[in-house]
Amino acid sequence: VIIDSLAFLEEGLLDALDAAGIERAIVCPTRARGVGYDIGNDRVAAAVAMHPGRLIGFARLDPLAPGAAAELDRARGLGLKGLLLHPWEDGFRITDPAVDPLVDGAPVIVAAGFPWVSEGLQVGEFARRHPETTVIATNGAQVNISGLGQQDAELALETFPNLCIQTTGVYREDFLERVVARFGAGRLLFASGFPRFDPRLELLRVTWAPALDPPARAAVLGGNAHRILGLDAG
Amino acid sequence: MHVDELPALGWSLEAADCVRRMDDAGIDKGIVMTIVDAPEVNPRALELIAEACAAYPGRLEAFARIHPWYGDEAVALLERALTELGFKGLKLHPVTTIAHPAGADTVRLIRIAAAHGAPTLFHCGDEPLTTPLAIERAAEACPEATIILGHMGGYFHVDEAIDVAERRPNVILETSAMPYPAKIREAVERLGPERVIYGSDGPACSPRIEVEKVRLAGLEASAERLVLGENAAGLLERVR
């Protein structure tokens, strides 16, 4: 089963997943502008309720907003399984101590690779503070078209075993293959990044990677997400 | 595509890898260049590329990656590349050289390339010195030169790359690594299919996936042919 480990809840999501042949997806709210994340989290919970076999909901929070901890508790009550933190869009540094109290052992996806707020080693530092929590960095923990962030991403993976990375937008096939070779297939998760990214293209980064053997490919495509989320089979 | 030997990074990118991956993707011809610059950090960078192309005649063409700060030495290297060695263009990567795209040393090289009818390919991404608006200053200073924005703006400067190409008729966009098929379509619609060229950034990136990315843009068949090869073939033919 292919599990997309991060898509944003926006118009056209299910059609885009269908077009790429993706069975299940972790979904979270898009950026809230002028409102709190309670609205987006409610929308995600409602979408999951409509498509319970297909969508897995993650909450999103602005950790510096008043009432963030209470909203996290409320979102857990809605059945949302993990947390998305987006330091770039929501304006905070992932190493800001104000973020730490929101980590409660459930998986945390961090929008990673953004300068000054969520560089690979900054996300690594966040993972160091929360060794019992699986921290999943988007974009290979580096968003750089020169590949300049790859060395820091690998250092973070080497140092913090609870850190995983997603494949979204990582054009360097050799980087993805080296991550699997060095750290095992269990550290890499397919994600579409819909709607900014095209799920059809993003899936090819895993399905066409020549150096992945079938078990590794299956782990990256869905097995890892299944394990981390403790999902029921199917 | 890249041919180079970089022990410090553990990278070994050989011509044979490029050709093998071109074969996998059904690609007839590839333009190769080094990852580092001549004369530093590799004084043999031009020879390395010339030898790669000689090993695969008809399959590989050469661009010269040169550090603009080396003044007359850089000029001599470029002249030699374009005349004696049969190179077809100049490649500039301001992340490795920290030479501004519109700095006097850089503009001097671009104009020499243009005098030979050769394009200048810039790495164009999200880093300072490589953004579309920085490279636009070079395109403005050298209207006679063909300027190619490699990666067409990277992750977060793609819209500006298309804007710059719309304003500057001597600017062409190259598609490699940039992750949005829909932006290739938008570029073709706004600029015309003659102003966009396919690139793979291989062999460490997948030429096959990069071709498929262009196909996912859903272009008309004639436009897709231009983007995937005919435009680049035209650029190579104009070099004298």
Side-chain angles (χ1 to χ4, degrees):
Chain A
V1 173
I2 297 176
I3 303 175
D4 176 352
S5 68
L6 181 60
F8 292 85
L9 185 63
E10 194 160 293
E11 185 92 22
L13 169 63
L14 293 179
D15 288 343
L17 297 177
D18 287 342
I22 297 168
E23 285 106 333
R24 303 185 76 175
I26 292 174
V27 291
C28 67
T30 54
R31 181 182 186 177
R33 289 186 187 267
V35 295
Y37 275 111
D38 53 333
I39 294 171
N41 291 333
D42 281 345
R43 285 185 182 145
V44 165
V48 171
M50 285 182 68
H51 306 279
R54 186 142 206 214
L55 302 180
I56 303 134
F58 268 43
R60 180 168 176 172
L61 295 172
D62 172 358
L64 305 186
E71 175 56 18
L72 181 60
D73 286 343
R74 196 186 72 85
R76 289 273 184 273
L78 296 172
L80 304 187
K81 305 283 189 198
L83 177 63
L84 171 85
L85 294 173
H86 204 312
W88 182 255
E89 288 188 352
D90 292 323
F92 62 96
R93 189 166 40 83
I94 193 61
T95 50
D96 188 324
V99 179
D100 293 326
L102 299 173
V103 181
D104 62 1
V108 179
I109 299 173
V110 179
F114 293 94
W116 315 308
V117 294
S118 61
E119 297 150 2
L121 287 174
Q122 289 177 308
V123 181
E125 167 62 14
F126 177 72
R128 185 191 66 78
R129 293 183 197 171
H130 305 285
E132 306 303 318
T133 297
T134 300
V135 175
I136 303 165
T138 67
N139 311 310
Q142 36 101 25
V143 180
N144 187 280
I145 214 92
S146 296
L148 294 180
Q150 291 176 21
Q151 294 180 68
D152 278 354
E154 288 189 47
L155 283 173
L157 286 164
E158 184 177 273
T159 317
F160 308 111
N162 56 320
L163 178 67
C164 298
I165 62 169
Q166 294 176 330
T167 56
T168 319
V170 180
Y171 64 94
R172 284 289 296 269
E173 192 171 65
D174 63 334
F175 171 74
L176 296 177
E177 292 176 347
R178 195 166 56 248
V179 165
V180 170
R182 287 193 64 198
F183 309 111
R187 307 288 293 281
L188 184 65
L189 285 79
F190 160 67
S192 77
F194 174 88
R196 180 174 189 91
F197 295 89
D198 186 326
R200 299 170 301 172
L201 174 63
E202 295 307 319
L203 196 56
L204 297 179
R205 302 192 196 281
V206 181
T207 57
W208 284 6
L212 297 185
D213 62 22
R217 204 181 309 277
V220 175
L221 285 175
N224 293 335
H226 192 279
R227 183 190 76 245
I228 290 165
L229 295 167
L231 296 177
D232 297 330
Chain B
M1 305 184 84
H2 296 289
V3 171
D4 214 330
E5 191 72 37
L6 300 168
L9 291 174
W11 295 358
S12 177
L13 309 170
E14 296 184 5
D17 298 327
C18 293
V19 172
R20 177 176 53 79
R21 305 217 70 185
M22 286 161 56
D23 289 342
D24 290 344
I27 294 169
D28 301 306
K29 188 172 280 208
I31 298 172
V32 292
M33 57 211 74
T34 46
I35 298 270
V36 297
D37 304 284
E40 296 290 345
V41 291
N42 186 355
R44 285 199 75 254
L46 297 185
E47 286 76 13
L48 184 69
I49 294 300
E51 288 160 12
C53 294
Y56 295 94
R59 298 299 303 278
L60 300 181
E61 299 282 1
F63 273 29
R65 184 154 160 173
I66 294 175
H67 197 315
W69 286 359
Y70 282 77
D72 290 345
E73 186 179 359
V75 168
L77 285 168
L78 180 59
E79 289 282 9
R80 175 166 175 257
L82 293 172
T83 53
E84 289 175 38
L85 299 176
F87 280 46
K88 301 294 187 183
L90 169 66
K91 164 70 184 289
L92 297 171
H93 199 314
V95 170
T96 59
T97 66
I98 63 171
H100 194 281
D105 294 323
T106 307
V107 165
R108 186 180 179 201
L109 290 184
I110 295 170
R111 287 180 174 152
I112 289 168
H116 290 273
T120 295
L121 167 64
F122 273 98
H123 170 92
C124 174
D126 303 300
E127 308 94 340
L129 304 173
T130 76
T131 63
L133 294 175
I135 299 171
E136 181 180 21
R137 301 301 180 99
E140 183 181 18
C142 310
E144 76 282 17
T146 298
I147 304 289
I148 304 169
L149 303 187
H151 314 309
M152 57 187 284
Y155 290 92
F156 293 100
H157 290 80
V158 179
D159 291 329
E160 286 168 10
I162 299 172
D163 291 345
V164 165
E166 207 166 44
R167 286 196 291 269
R168 304 288 172 193
N170 57 326
V171 169
I172 286 174
L173 304 182
E174 180 271 310
T175 61
S176 69
M178 185 283 303
Y180 318 118
K183 289 295 176 187
I184 295 173
R185 184 180 179 88
E186 181 183 337
V188 165
E189 288 172 352
R190 287 174 56 187
L191 307 172
E194 299 82 8
R195 306 274 303 285
V196 181
I197 62 174
Y198 163 78
S200 74
D201 211 18
C205 310
S206 166
R208 186 173 166 224
I209 288 177
E210 293 293 328
V211 167
E212 187 64 17
K213 182 176 78 185
V214 173
R215 298 212 165 106
L216 288 171
L219 306 177
E220 299 279 337
S222 59
E224 189 178 284
R225 281 197 302 276
L226 286 165
V227 172
L228 284 177
E230 290 173 3
N231 292 335
L235 289 175
L236 295 172
E237 284 165 10
R238 283 201 285 277
V239 182
R240 54 189 180 272

